[in-house]
Amino acid sequence: MNNNEHYNDNDIQVLEGLEAVRKRPGMYIGNTNEAGLHHLVWEIVDNAVDEALAGYCDDIEVEIGKGNVITVKDDGRGMPTGMNAKTGLSTIETIFTVLHAGGKFGGGGYKVSGGLHGVGASVVNALSDWLEVRVYRDGKVYYQRFENGGHPVEPLKVIDKCSEERTGTTVSFHADASMFETTVYNWDILYKRLQEMAFLNKGIRITLIDQREDEKHEIFHYNGGIIEYVQMLNKNKQPLFNNIVYVEGREDDIALEVALQYNDSYNPAIYSFTNNIHTPEGGTHEDGVKQALTRVINNYAKNAKLLKENDDSLTGEDVREGVTMIISCKHPNPQFEGQTKTKLGNSEVKKIASDIFTNGFERFLMENPDAARAIVDKCITASRARLAAKKAREITRRKTALDGFNTIGKLADCTSKDASISEIFIVEGDSASGTAKDARIPKTQAILPLRGKVLNVEKARLDKALANEEIRTIITAFGTGIGDDFDLSKLRYNKIVIMTDADVDGDHIRILLLTLFYRFFRPIVEAGHVYAALPPLYKVTYGKNIKYVQSDEELEVYRQTLPANAKPLVQRFKGLGEMDAIDLRETTMHIENRILKRITVEDTIAADKVFSDLMGEEVQPRKDYIEQYGQFAQNIDA
Ligand code: TSJ
């Protein structure tokens, strides 16, 4: 007998399996960048969450140790320590070395957790330079270590005693640096996902600890589950009513939970999950709940005579305005489809979700007449606004078709019809726009004067926005239409330049315009057509030399370049209106000298929150944001 006694034919197959993972890691964990690295943690944590969902564990700890070693600990029953007849190895070694071994052993009950790929512990082992498992069970501590992509150092063995009461599983591993672009874990990524897990599985306590530099520590523990999730999402919003709608039910092996609350905003925020996996593309669970929401509200409104017999029904869009909703479905055999495999496809789920939600939501409306009234009122207002907006859109569209562009409001259009060379300057104030008209190149540069403040579209619906003269002029000038009619290819200008004074009022007008563009013309922003002009602050005349500078610092630097006894003439522009046409052309409009800042939207979800926090009704988040980041534009500029 030799050292290889422990290996048999099965082992050779095992190692070939793990070798396959190392050859094409992307097939198993999506990719090998930061997201793939974190996937390793999800695969291990999912096992502990499964134990919690089976009802045997309520404490899970995830630690990022020094050197980016991950340790996941639970207080469950401890993994089974016996032998596996088929592989001839211990069950534990089987789980860590045989691909897809998870779920095929021991215990009844279905696993509802499991990542998108659900590949399990053996894949993590294959992609780690070392991994250790400790199982506390029957008063013993069992231990096994693997190295170099999943090779067992020794078979599973008992290394210590422990108290009979102490049970659980602890897994530590270090990702193999040769398999990943990075092996450094990101606190924010772990925080967000583990918090989400704790919201989606009420009662489980998940602790996240970072031992790398300054020690950090966070406990996620929500007895209210997704109710508390909705509360957090609506924290900076004004809710229409205080209580949160909560519905749960189960049919066959399919469980559904829904929590929702309306706020006074106009955008829906609906997030759905299946087996703890976010399904941003929606699917049958989301369809069922949405369909039921529309039906139940229409029925209630008709029965309560809030909606007359011959009134139009409320549409899905009407009833979702301002709703914050979490949908969580648990399914023993989910089928994911769609572009990114994040859409639930199981057709039986739609009716089950719709039935469960209908029952619970009808009951909520009956038991909470004030909340029901507030919801129906909001939906009816949304419906009226939608009809008004449709009419207003038709008018805007007709105007585009009939009047031609030269008569759009106060627009001084360019003569070229070639969008690729055309630019529109949106200019604050009548006096500055007069100057800009003199300074422009009429062939390619259009000037649109803005009088006074722009309507804050974060606080107004489409109908009110379309009733606003300035906004209608902008929509008509852009030529793209809006809402359902939006067509980027019809944009009449390659560059849209916001030109405001370099002061607080100017900043405010710029933010309001960006909010308008972001909410109503987002593809224009995303395609990089929107710019902010940077007019100079000073004009310095020294003899025959004229120098324009942007800031006090730049002014100081320029002074240093002049002779010691020089007395240059320094003129400070208090606003665009104080410049003459030559100043404005030379500094802000002429293609060769001007400085434009392109406005980009890096991350639309983050930007969405920034916009609604900054421009919504609540004052505190705006103050917090400004204290944290200073000027708004800095964060979204490229
Ligand atoms: F898989 C793993 F190694 F990655 C892992 C598994 C990692 C972690 C952190 C925890 C776990 C895990 C597995 N925690 N708890 C369990 N439970 C079982 O495997 C188990 C225990 C007992 C029985 C039984 O029927 O007696 C059945 C199972 C599945």
Side-chain angles (χ1 to χ4, degrees):
M1 286 209 255
N2 57 38
N3 258 343
N4 286 335
E5 186 201 26
H6 180 58
Y7 292 93
N8 58 27
D9 289 352
N10 265 316
D11 297 327
I12 290 158
Q13 272 182 10
V14 162
L15 295 175
E16 277 172 357
L18 296 191
E19 205 40 54
V21 177
R22 293 175 64 83
K23 276 214 182 82
R24 311 184 73 184
M27 289 239 319
Y28 298 87
I29 53 163
N31 55 50
T32 57
N33 59 17
E34 192 180 52
L37 177 75
H38 288 77
H39 212 109
L40 302 182
V41 184
W42 315 146
E43 289 297 342
I44 298 299
V45 169
D46 282 349
N47 289 281
V49 170
D50 278 335
E51 183 73 356
L53 291 175
Y56 298 103
C57 134
D58 38 40
D59 236 316
I60 298 172
E61 202 178 284
V62 179
E63 181 194 286
I64 320 165
K66 290 207 175 5
N68 289 287
V69 171
I70 294 288
T71 299
V72 182
K73 211 182 273 182
D74 74 35
D75 64 348
R77 292 165 293 178
M79 296 169 78
T81 53
M83 293 299 285
N84 181 286
K86 207 165 154 230
T87 62
L89 304 169
S90 70
T91 300
I92 287 178
E93 186 171 332
T94 306
I95 288 169
F96 279 100
T97 56
V98 179
L99 278 183
H100 301 295
K104 285 184 187 152
F105 69 95
Y110 63 85
K111 293 167 100 64
V112 293
S113 190
L116 185 51
H117 303 267
V119 287
S122 59
V123 168
V124 178
N125 199 16
L127 298 175
S128 294
D129 42 32
W130 63 263
L131 180 148
E132 290 176 349
V133 54
R134 287 177 176 76
V135 169
Y136 301 79
R137 210 179 154 125
D138 308 322
K140 297 186 186 111
V141 184
Y142 297 83
Y143 170 86
Q144 189 168 23
R145 180 178 166 95
F146 304 84
E147 287 180 359
N148 267 325
H151 299 260
V153 175
E154 274 185 275
L156 183 74
K157 65 175 182 185
V158 175
I159 55 163
D160 206 350
K161 291 187 293 216
C162 65
S163 126
E164 289 272 352
E165 280 84 67
R166 165 83 165 99
T167 62
T169 305
T170 301
V171 171
S172 298
F173 65 92
H174 183 262
D176 185 339
S178 70
M179 302 304 305
F180 291 93
E181 289 160 34
T182 172
T183 51
V184 179
Y185 294 92
N186 178 321
W187 169 265
D188 293 338
I189 294 175
L190 292 165
Y191 185 108
K192 186 170 178 291
R193 174 62 179 154
L194 295 176
Q195 181 181 46
E196 185 176 272
M197 276 285 204
F199 277 132
L200 291 168
N201 302 286
K202 62 181 154 208
I204 304 183
R205 189 209 322 269
I206 304 180
T207 307
L208 173 61
I209 302 162
D210 192 340
Q211 300 278 19
R212 290 172 299 181
E213 272 120 52
D214 15 52
E215 215 244 303
K216 273 189 279 187
H217 187 112
E218 194 72 44
I219 297 170
F220 308 112
H221 185 208
Y222 308 108
N223 285 324
I226 59 172
I227 294 177
E228 293 190 56
Y229 202 169
V230 168
Q231 267 163 349
M232 184 188 77
L233 292 170
N234 270 350
K235 205 178 84 198
N236 290 330
K237 310 258 164 89
Q238 285 294 326
L240 282 197
F241 46 87
N242 281 331
N243 32 6
I244 292 188
V245 182
Y246 177 73
V247 174
E248 77 181 314
R250 165 183 286 272
E251 205 178 308
D252 303 330
D253 265 347
I254 300 162
L256 184 83
E257 271 184 284
V258 182
L260 69 89
Q261 187 182 42
Y262 282 83
N263 61 58
D264 70 348
S265 80
Y266 307 118
N267 303 308
I270 299 177
Y271 304 103
S272 64
F273 298 83
T274 296
N275 296 357
N276 297 327
I277 300 158
H278 185 30
T279 43
E281 294 180 279
T284 49
H285 54 337
E286 197 174 311
D287 293 345
V289 172
K290 282 179 174 172
Q291 183 191 64
L293 184 79
T294 310
R295 282 194 192 151
V296 170
I297 293 179
N298 270 296
N299 287 343
Y300 184 92
K302 282 189 181 137
N303 286 335
K305 308 270 183 260
L306 298 169
L307 210 57
K308 307 278 170 335
E309 279 303 323
N310 41 4
D311 279 350
D312 277 349
S313 289
L314 302 165
T315 66
E317 217 179 294
D318 299 336
V319 302
R320 292 194 292 271
E321 189 188 272
V323 77
T324 298
M325 170 148 65
I326 301 290
I327 302 166
S328 173
C329 172
K330 306 250 164 96
H331 196 294
N333 180 28
Q335 302 299 316
F336 292 103
E337 10 180 273
Q339 286 252 295
T340 52
K341 291 263 178 272
T342 55
K343 179 177 179 180
L344 184 65
N346 304 62
S347 57
E348 76 283 5
V349 173
K350 186 169 172 186
K351 182 170 185 310
I352 293 174
S354 169
D355 289 351
I356 292 172
F357 183 69
T358 297
N359 271 330
F361 189 45
E362 273 178 346
R363 185 165 169 180
F364 174 88
L365 296 179
M366 292 301 165
E367 289 173 355
N368 299 275
D370 292 346
R373 181 69 197 239
I375 293 173
V376 172
D377 282 351
K378 176 162 175 78
C379 298
I380 290 175
T381 313
S383 159
R384 292 207 184 105
R386 178 175 50 78
L387 295 171
K390 195 172 160 210
K391 279 203 195 103
R393 266 210 305 271
E394 277 163 7
I395 292 165
T396 322
R397 199 192 298 138
R398 226 176 298 139
K399 196 167 173 180
T400 321
L402 297 179
D403 300 5
F405 292 118
N406 294 327
T407 58
I408 301 167
K410 296 163 273 127
L411 175 71
D413 209 357
C414 53
T415 55
S416 168
K417 295 287 168 241
D418 178 357
S420 72
I421 56 165
S422 299
E423 306 176 342
I424 183 169
F425 287 77
I426 304 180
V427 187
E428 169 189 1
D430 280 340
S431 116
S433 30
T435 314
K437 279 178 201 167
D438 293 337
R440 71 178 174 145
I441 300 160
K443 182 170 179 233
T444 58
Q445 297 184 319
I447 307 296
L448 179 62
L450 276 186
R451 271 210 214 101
K453 288 268 152 97
V454 179
L455 180 76
N456 180 358
V457 298
E458 206 58 52
K459 291 189 203 163
R461 264 192 213 95
L462 193 56
D463 61 320
K464 197 167 156 214
L466 287 169
N468 178 284
E469 192 59 40
E470 312 282 348
I471 290 180
R472 279 160 77 126
T473 308
I474 290 173
I475 295 169
T476 323
F478 284 7
T480 54
I482 188 168
D484 299 339
D485 307 327
F486 185 86
D487 183 353
L488 184 60
S489 71
K490 295 220 173 80
L491 183 62
R492 299 177 56 246
Y493 308 96
N494 182 45
K495 287 195 172 70
I496 295 162
V497 184
I498 301 171
M499 197 154 87
T500 54
D501 290 342
D503 59 14
V504 177
D505 274 353
D507 288 347
H508 195 212
I509 292 171
R510 189 172 66 246
I511 292 172
L512 291 167
L513 281 171
L514 292 178
T515 307
L516 171 74
F517 296 165
Y518 179 76
R519 286 284 178 222
F520 289 180
F521 305 103
R522 192 172 311 178
I524 296 182
V525 183
E526 283 166 345
H529 292 292
V530 180
Y531 297 82
L534 291 178
L537 205 54
Y538 296 103
K539 176 182 188 177
V540 190
T541 312
Y542 177 62
K544 281 187 189 140
N545 298 320
I546 295 176
K547 171 90 177 162
Y548 298 95
V549 298
Q550 298 275 339
S551 64
D552 291 306
E553 296 82 63
E554 208 185 320
L555 177 64
E556 226 14 75
V557 171
Y558 179 61
R559 275 184 197 276
Q560 312 276 331
T561 67
L562 299 178
N565 60 349
K567 291 230 171 353
L569 177 69
V570 179
Q571 184 190 352
R572 185 173 207 274
F573 298 120
K574 292 213 189 64
L576 293 164
E578 293 194 352
M579 294 189 198
D580 60 29
I582 295 168
D583 292 333
L584 197 59
R585 179 187 302 141
E586 288 301 311
T587 62
T588 315
M589 294 180 70
H590 195 286
I591 291 169
E592 291 193 350
N593 302 332
R594 72 187 182 190
I595 307 174
L596 296 181
K597 242 182 173 183
R598 177 181 269 170
I599 309 292
T600 62
V601 181
E602 283 294 336
D603 171 351
T604 52
I605 297 178
D608 201 29
K609 190 159 163 39
V610 168
F611 273 87
S612 48
D613 284 356
L614 283 179
M615 301 310 293
E617 302 282 351
E618 291 282 317
V619 177
Q620 194 55 44
R622 185 155 54 236
K623 285 198 178 142
D624 294 346
Y625 188 88
I626 289 165
E627 266 165 35
Q628 200 178 346
Y629 296 104
Q631 264 204 333
F632 175 78
Q634 283 175 1
N635 197 47
I636 52 170
D637 279 1

